[in-house]
Each structure stands twice: as C-alpha cells, then as structure tokens.
C-alpha cells in the first residue's frame, strides 16, 4: 500500500509541475507580443530600461520621469494620465 501511495503522489506532483511550466511559457509568450513602451508613468526605480540619466533598468530617480518607460499590454498606455507611447524628443 505504501508503494502505491508513493507512485500516486509522484504522478500527481509531476502533473502539477508540468502544468505550472505550461502556464509560465504561455505567460512568457504573451509578454513578447502585444506590449508597448509607455513613457512617463513609472515610479522611481521601477523603469524597464535605461534613461537619459542612467544606464540600467530600475534606476530612474523620480516618479513619472519622462524618459523612463515600462512595458504594458498594448492599448493600456493611452488610458493612463501622463502616459506617452513616444519617447521624449531629446531621447530619440
């Protein structure tokens, strides 16, 4: 009986793990498509990439920094007050 419980437990754990891996790969695929850069809406230290004043993600120095962006699902940025799909002119 103990052997059967071990086999069943192992099988269930395997199914749960495979399911979790499937969900992660779907989420990753969704991250790559249908996203846009939204400038001017990030909190300090929460930007996704470099800005004019720093070279790394997560290093913006002020809230709503105009040259800092965050990747958002397509169509979201236009609905956020202060959000812009265009980088500031001096950043291009």
């Amino acid at each position: 009986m103990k052997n059967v419980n071990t086999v069943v437990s192992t099988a269930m754990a395997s199914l749960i793990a495979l399911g979790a891996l499937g969900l992660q790969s779907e989420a990753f695929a969704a991250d790559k498509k249908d996203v846009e850069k939204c400038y001017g809406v990030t909190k300090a230290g929460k930007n996704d990439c470099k800005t004019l004043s720093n070279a790394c993600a997560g290093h913006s120095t002020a809230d709503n920094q105009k040259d800092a962006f965050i990747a958002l699902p397509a169509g979201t940025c236009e609905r956020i007050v202060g959000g812009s799909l265009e980088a500031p002119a001096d950043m291009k």
Side-chain angles (χ1 to χ4, degrees):
M1 186 71 169
K2 188 175 183 180
N3 228 4
V4 172
N5 286 341
T6 303
V7 170
V8 171
S9 296
T10 304
M12 291 298 291
S14 297
L15 288 173
I16 291 169
L18 287 173
L21 288 174
L23 290 175
Q24 285 179 346
S25 64
E26 285 178 22
F28 185 73
D31 285 343
K32 288 198 166 220
K33 62 180 180 177
D34 298 328
V35 293
E36 59 193 9
K37 294 179 181 179
C38 188
Y39 292 89
V41 296
T42 62
K43 292 289 184 189
K46 301 294 182 182
N47 60 308
D48 280 343
C49 200
K50 72 177 187 167
T51 67
L52 292 176
S53 58
N54 59 62
C56 295
H59 287 95
S60 60
T61 56
D63 289 349
N64 304 327
Q65 190 172 325
K66 294 296 179 193
D67 61 339
F69 75 85
I70 188 169
L72 295 175
T76 305
C77 189
E78 295 95 11
R79 292 183 265 166
I80 299 174
V81 174
S84 173
L85 295 173
E86 297 290 323
D90 52 352
M91 190 175 164
K92 292 181 183 181

